[in-house]
Amino acid sequence: MLVIGLVGGVASGKSFVAQCFGDLGAEVVDADKIGHEVLNRTAVIAQILRLWPDVQLVDGKIVRSSLAKIVFASVADDCPLKKLESIVHPFIGQQIDLQLSRMAEQLFVAAVLDAPVMFKTGWDKRCDKIVFVDTELSVRQQRALSRGWSIEELAQREQFQLSVEQKRHLATDVVDNSRSRSETLAQVERLWNQWGLRRMPISSPSNDKI
């Protein structure tokens, strides 16, 4: 099974690129989704509340926006984000390994690992290919605004990751996701064929706008 890692700047559209690979026959491992599930674990919530008692809970679950305000407040060496990562990343890594193992056992042709902190965590070592999703800053800013973030919040979140230039340098392949969905899909198909993977018939995206 070929494991394909996806990296890119914040709001670059990695989820859509992952969907394109999924349409071709890959299974997707979404590290963000796993992270959200990990935050709901009783043991994790207890550790977070010990560190930051002011984090809000609703129905016994962490309000991620209240946690984000705390962990993205500083970029110092001992910043809250690093403390949070030390709690959740081991759990996330375990779930990634478990999902990839199950997919390999089921003889899937490929798996896509969509993980924003791929290189920071060392999860890139689990991948055979690393695809950098290249998206113009203006497009990423528009997407961030549509998520309810300010442009300042986008820049703030990027401070905690490798730069887009570093990610591009460390990748094995690039997909330009700044234009139409059809153009992105065509690039993903070319990579799929280049890697000699079996493919499933797919249809073009119904909405051709980024």
Side-chain angles (χ1 to χ4, degrees):
M1 181 180 74
L2 190 77
V3 181
I4 306 160
L6 290 186
V7 298
V10 176
S12 59
K14 293 186 295 297
S15 294
F16 174 65
V17 175
Q19 177 190 324
C20 291
F21 278 112
D23 288 342
L24 287 165
E27 286 293 303
V28 178
V29 178
D30 187 336
D32 258 355
K33 182 179 178 181
I34 295 172
H36 296 167
E37 294 168 351
V38 164
L39 279 181
N40 292 329
R41 295 189 178 192
T42 302
V44 171
I45 292 173
Q47 291 183 69
I48 288 173
L49 291 179
R50 277 199 295 270
L51 287 172
W52 307 294
D54 293 334
V55 170
Q56 298 173 16
L57 297 180
V58 172
D59 297 328
K61 296 181 179 180
I62 296 283
V63 176
R64 290 188 290 115
S65 59
S66 74
L67 181 59
K69 288 179 181 178
I70 293 172
V71 300
F72 290 116
S74 170
V75 294
D77 288 342
D78 61 345
C79 68
L81 181 61
K82 289 189 176 181
K83 294 177 181 177
L84 177 64
E85 289 172 341
S86 70
I87 296 171
V88 300
H89 281 177
F91 290 106
I92 297 172
Q94 289 171 7
Q95 288 302 308
I96 288 172
D97 287 340
L98 180 61
Q99 290 190 27
L100 290 176
S101 295
R102 287 175 176 170
M103 291 170 186
E105 289 172 0
Q106 295 172 35
L107 303 180
F108 285 106
V109 65
V112 173
L113 175 55
D114 181 359
V117 290
M118 182 82 70
F119 299 113
K120 190 176 184 180
T121 57
W123 296 337
D124 58 299
K125 303 298 189 298
R126 295 162 165 83
C127 302
D128 303 297
K129 302 287 184 181
I130 300 288
V131 175
F132 174 73
V133 180
D134 190 10
T135 309
E136 295 172 4
L137 177 59
S138 60
V139 176
R140 296 196 293 113
Q141 288 173 335
Q142 291 173 9
R143 291 175 182 161
L145 291 171
S146 71
R147 295 180 184 181
W149 302 350
S150 67
I151 291 176
E152 290 73 22
E153 284 178 293
L154 171 68
Q156 183 186 38
R157 286 174 181 255
E158 293 217 302
Q159 291 182 68
F160 295 92
Q161 298 185 15
L162 288 182
S163 69
V164 290
E165 291 79 12
Q166 288 173 300
K167 291 178 181 178
R168 181 201 291 270
H169 176 72
L170 292 169
T172 58
D173 301 274
V174 176
V175 167
D176 183 351
N177 192 36
S178 295
R179 298 176 178 80
S180 73
R181 288 175 174 251
S182 294
E183 289 175 283
T184 298
L185 177 58
Q187 294 172 71
V188 170
E189 286 187 276
R190 281 196 292 272
L191 286 177
W192 189 268
N193 294 333
Q194 176 183 316
W195 295 332
L197 299 173
R198 299 191 311 275
R199 50 180 296 187
M200 297 170 58
I202 60 173
S203 56
S204 297
S206 55
N207 182 354
D208 198 39
K209 296 180 181 178
I210 286 292

